[in-house]
Amino acid sequence: MKGLLTFKRIKNHLTFNFNAFCNVLFGQMPPPALSFANPVETLKPSSQHLIDVQQLFKNSILWAVPKHRRTIEKRLGRKFGYITEFYKMLMPRTDLFTCNHCGHYYQRRHLCPNCYKRVKDETTEFQEVIEKELGLDPIEQEVVVLYKGEKTKKPEEFWKGKRIVELKREKPVWFCRNLLQRTTIGNSDCKDVKPSELA
Amino acid sequence: MNQAEVSQLISKLRIRISPRHKNLKCPEGPQGRLNKLRKTVNALFKYERLELNYTIADETRGYAERLISEAIRHGDTHKPTMEMADYWIEEKQLIHKLFKVLVPRFSDYKTSYTMLYRAPKAYPDIVYPRSVLELRGNPFPSILPQRIDQRNFIHNILLEEAKKAYRAEKYEQITKSLNEQDVVDK
Ligand SMILES: [Zn+2]
């Protein structure tokens, strides 16, 4: 009786699924490898009962589908951004100015990047020198940093009561003083005619 | 207690202080915030010019100003001021600097003792705003360029001359009209 039942079951499986039959015979098979899809097999309905159309509509197809058209305001907002919050279009900047001192551009109410960089480099060097000079002694005098050859320009009394830290280089010339001096001498056989009566 | 006595209790600072503090990133809580600020106040007294994030620079500025003004008001024999200086300045040689260098330097100042500038940033970079905090009267080259004397600019000279010529012309006209009137009166 028992044997008959098992035979029947095996037969059912055989008609249903060959793989399952193999499983019964040889125990658990290794996991299936990649293979080409068999259209006949996929077309075969997986469950025996008929497809309930209403159920299908409810469950799968109509998930996350917009029910209403988005308003024009919303669509434009998403495309271009919002002026008050986050505007995606490129806008001209009106807060850039040219530095009166060096001619570079700087942002309004900010320091000029070119001038500031020059000062910053100088400052860090000063700070290093001062820190090395003073060390851990209690600081009781105003510190003055002098370039090479600057100390002799003023009398001794001027530096009284000040701690002098000297740098080993000369004061940087940020502006050429000899602008009016000629660097090149024109040829003597030059035949250019100078314009006259300009004013 | 009347109003005059209240104003004697607290130093009046010459900077604007917002009613609410600025938030700093502090995982350690209020104590961590104080430690952070203590570090920057100490560094400000040591280096006299710093580049910091704007929020911490602004917070530091208030504490440094308060400390200097207390030191000026009470001097180094006042015990609470000394304790305050001892708490806020970690490197002890700088306490001497506060009372012997900064107090004489700032005692007759009519402005604030510190300056705060906005540091430049490269354009497309989106970064926290940086700023430069400094003590006034420091030994470094000044951060703002010296103002150029604009009188000698070529357009200013030309405009000046044009103004003179226009004025001379006007005076001539006026004198001529006056003369004509005199002739008519006679
Ligand atoms: Zn510049």
Side-chain angles (χ1 to χ4, degrees), chain A residues 99 101-102 112 115:
Chain A
C99 178
H101 198 69
C102 69
C112 164
C115 295

Side-chain angles (χ1 to χ4, degrees), chain A:
Chain A
M1 191 65 198
K2 209 177 177 183
L4 198 76
L5 271 174
T6 46
F7 182 68
K8 254 188 181 173
R9 210 187 292 156
I10 288 167
K11 203 181 138 198
N12 275 342
H13 273 282
L14 191 64
T15 50
F16 218 72
N17 197 343
F18 177 73
N19 262 352
F21 173 61
C22 288
N23 280 351
V24 169
L25 272 189
F26 308 113
Q28 198 63 38
M29 294 288 282
L34 284 174
S35 65
F36 291 107
N38 190 358
V40 183
E41 213 163 297
T42 50
L43 280 176
K44 203 164 66 183
S46 57
S47 57
Q48 288 196 336
H49 58 79
L50 282 170
I51 299 165
D52 187 358
V53 177
Q54 262 190 347
Q55 200 68 27
L56 204 65
F57 267 76
K58 235 183 231 174
N59 286 341
S60 59
I61 291 179
L62 288 184
W63 276 5
V65 169
K67 285 182 178 177
H68 300 285
R69 179 187 171 89
R70 279 189 221 288
T71 60
I72 182 68
E73 290 86 0
K74 207 142 208 169
R75 276 181 282 151
L76 286 177
R78 286 178 176 200
K79 196 169 179 184
F80 301 115
Y82 303 91
I83 287 185
T84 49
E85 286 145 35
F86 177 74
Y87 199 54
K88 296 182 186 178
M89 297 291 99
L90 292 177
M91 295 282 275
R93 283 188 72 163
T94 53
D95 60 341
L96 295 182
F97 293 91
T98 44
C99 178
N100 273 339
H101 198 69
C102 69
H104 281 244
Y105 285 103
Y106 71 96
Q107 201 184 336
R108 181 174 150 262
R109 300 174 72 191
H110 287 241
L111 295 173
C112 164
N114 188 43
C115 295
Y116 175 58
K117 191 181 173 295
R118 204 173 55 198
V119 172
K120 190 181 176 185
D121 293 346
E122 204 72 6
T123 304
T124 42
E125 197 179 320
F126 275 29
Q127 283 169 344
E128 278 165 17
V129 171
I130 290 174
E131 199 182 355
K132 205 194 275 177
E133 180 83 17
L134 296 182
L136 295 174
D137 305 337
I139 302 157
E140 295 177 354
Q141 286 171 325
E142 199 79 67
V143 176
V144 182
V145 182
L146 291 181
Y147 293 99
K148 191 177 164 189
E150 249 187 347
K151 197 179 174 183
T152 50
K153 282 180 185 171
K154 284 185 177 166
E156 280 290 316
E157 296 90 59
F158 187 79
W159 306 119
K160 223 173 196 179
K162 288 173 183 170
R163 182 82 180 259
I164 292 168
V165 179
E166 265 197 293
L167 286 177
K168 280 169 189 167
R169 59 188 178 80
E170 288 184 1
K171 191 170 186 175
V173 185
W174 285 338
F175 193 79
C176 181
R177 278 175 205 156
N178 307 329
L179 277 182
L180 292 178
Q181 278 179 12
R182 273 197 176 177
T183 49
T184 54
I185 299 156
N187 293 329
S188 55
D189 54 339
C190 176
K191 282 174 186 172
D192 288 349
V193 180
K194 280 189 178 176
S196 58
E197 294 177 22
L198 276 177

